């Protein structure tokens, strides 16, 4: 219940406040979102398997976002920023798909 | 490959399993503090999605608008430049008229007037008419080593060599695509285009040269421009057509001034 209410509250807050993103953070926003999606799907699968823990979720989300942003930042500094973001998206994308498939199997047994 | 296999086989954070094994009782794993952190993270994720979505949808029309504004500014600057050039042309014509009336009618004035017009045609300030050569030059198409079709572009160097050859052959006045070569003209590559008198030219290039029609073409062949351009024509497939012209009209570049230098 908490995550769904939280997500809805966040979306509404974003719509009402419309916070601007500082320009130096803009390249990291899409990466942060992909990392967040990975954390969300991982958490949901863990929840279905009965192993979910708030603390692990919070830590894994924050570390995922920070590491993904750090990789892109380093890539930007050495001139391969877009390639490294592609790499991050591919790796996290594979994880998201695998988790989504596991969730589907657990929910619908198909 | 092993890395990809690992990613696909362990898609969940392994800590979930570790913590679950350490504390089998579900309720013990959730304290109020971690619940709160969880809720905050959920809010943050929701806000992230909205902010990113808003950003992308809002910034797209903004970028297009900015581009349109820039295009409009370039257009107005170009129009302004054309207007100023026209104004300069008419002022220069007025100047010339006033000068020739102001000089009077005696023999010295007549001499000065001839000298002036001769200098003006030499430097490229005045328009000139006369017989000469019309040379058409254009990019060629050919095949590179792997056999693919490529465009062989005319470079600024090619035009420079041709123009230098024409001067050597005795040309008195030259213009490229209507841009008269003056004492202050440079032929250079700027971006993708060749620029003459700060005007970007588009191929094909028409080089008009006024000079002695009997000797100009033959002497051009003897300069370095002749072999250079024959080689370009044969090897690169470029267009290089030289023809005699009875009467060529060359533009002048009015307002040709030396600002820092002084006549000695």
């Amino acid at each position: 219940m908490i995550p769904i209410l939280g997500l809805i509250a966040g979306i509404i807050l974003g719509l009402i406040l419309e916070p601007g993103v500082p320009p130096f953070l803009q390249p990291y926003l899409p990466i942060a979102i992909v990392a967040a999606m990975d954390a969300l799907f991982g958490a949901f699968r863990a929840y279905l398997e009965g192993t979910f823990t708030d603390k692990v979720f919070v830590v894994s989300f924050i570390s995922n976002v920070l590491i993904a942003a750090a990789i892109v930042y380093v890539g930007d500094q050495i001139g391969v920023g877009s390639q490294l973001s592609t790499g991050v998206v591919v790796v996290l994308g594979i994880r998201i798909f695998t988790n989504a498939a596991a969730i589907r199997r657990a929910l619908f047994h198909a | 490959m092993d890395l990809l296999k690992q990613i696909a086989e362990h898609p969940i954070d392994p800590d979930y399993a570790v913590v679950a094994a350490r504390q089998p009782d579900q309720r013990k794993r959730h304290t109020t503090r971690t619940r709160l952190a969880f809720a905050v993270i959920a809010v943050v994720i929701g806000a992230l999605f909205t902010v990113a979505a808003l950003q992308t949808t809002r910034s797209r029309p903004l970028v297009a608008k900015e581009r349109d504004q820039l295009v409009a500014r370039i257009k107005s600057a170009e129009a302004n430049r054309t207007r100023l050039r026209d104004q300069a042309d008419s002022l220069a014509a007025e100047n010339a008229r006033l000068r020739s009336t102001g000089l009077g009618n005696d023999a010295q004035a007549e001499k000065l007037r001839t000298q002036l017009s001769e200098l003006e045609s030499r430097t490229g300030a005045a328009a000139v008419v006369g017989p000469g050569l019309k040379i058409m030059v254009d990019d060629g198409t050919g095949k590179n080593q792997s056999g693919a079709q490529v465009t062989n572009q005319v470079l600024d160097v090619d035009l420079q060599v041709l123009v230098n050859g024409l001067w050597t052959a005795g040309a008195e006045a030259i213009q490229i695509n209507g841009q008269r070569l003056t004492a202050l003209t440079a032929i250079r590559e700027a971006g993708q285009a060749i620029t003459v008198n700060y005007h970007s030219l588009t191929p094909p290039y028409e080089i008009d040269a006024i000079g002695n029609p009997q000797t100009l073409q033959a002497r051009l062949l003897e300069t370095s421009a002749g072999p250079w351009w024959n080689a370009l024509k044969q090897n690169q497939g470029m267009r290089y057509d030289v023809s005699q012209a009875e009467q060529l009209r060359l533009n002048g570049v009015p307002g040709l001034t030396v600002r820092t230098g002084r006549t000695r």
Side-chain angles (χ1 to χ4, degrees), chain A residues 2-3 6-7 10-11 13-15 18-19 21 26 29 33 37 40 42-43 45-46 49-58 60-62 91 94-95 98-99, chain B residues 4 7-13 15-17 19-20 23 26 29-31 34-35 37-39 41-55 58:
Chain A
I2 295 178
L7 276 180
I11 289 171
L13 270 180
L15 281 175
E18 283 192 33
V21 183
Q26 267 173 15
L29 191 62
I33 285 174
M37 280 173 69
L40 274 182
R45 185 177 171 189
E49 288 174 357
T51 56
F52 179 74
T53 318
D54 297 335
K55 200 173 157 192
V56 175
F57 171 73
V58 171
S60 84
F61 168 74
I62 291 175
V91 168
I94 292 173
R95 280 171 56 135
T98 321
N99 281 332
Chain B
L4 283 179
I7 294 167
E9 276 174 6
H10 304 284
I12 333 181
D13 210 309
D15 288 341
Y16 283 123
V19 174
Q23 295 168 311
Q26 274 224 2
R29 283 187 239 141
H30 307 296
T31 63
T34 56
R35 285 260 134 169
F38 182 33
I41 293 291
V43 172
V44 167
I45 293 176
L48 268 182
F49 277 110
T50 346
V51 168
L54 283 179
Q55 190 109 33
R58 295 265 159 88

Side-chain angles (χ1 to χ4, degrees), chain B residues 190-242:
Chain B
Q192 285 291 307
I194 297 177
T195 302
V196 175
N197 287 349
Y198 301 104
H199 270 274
S200 294
L201 306 183
T202 44
Y205 306 103
E206 181 188 324
I207 294 111
D208 298 329
I210 288 180
N212 187 341
Q214 263 92 49
T215 59
L216 195 55
Q217 190 165 2
R219 285 181 61 189
L220 178 65
L221 270 177
E222 291 165 11
T223 67
S224 56
W228 180 286
W229 268 96
N230 281 328
L232 284 180
K233 189 180 184 178
Q234 296 209 326
N235 302 331
Q236 316 286 329
M238 287 185 189
R239 181 177 171 196
Y240 174 58
D241 295 334
V242 184

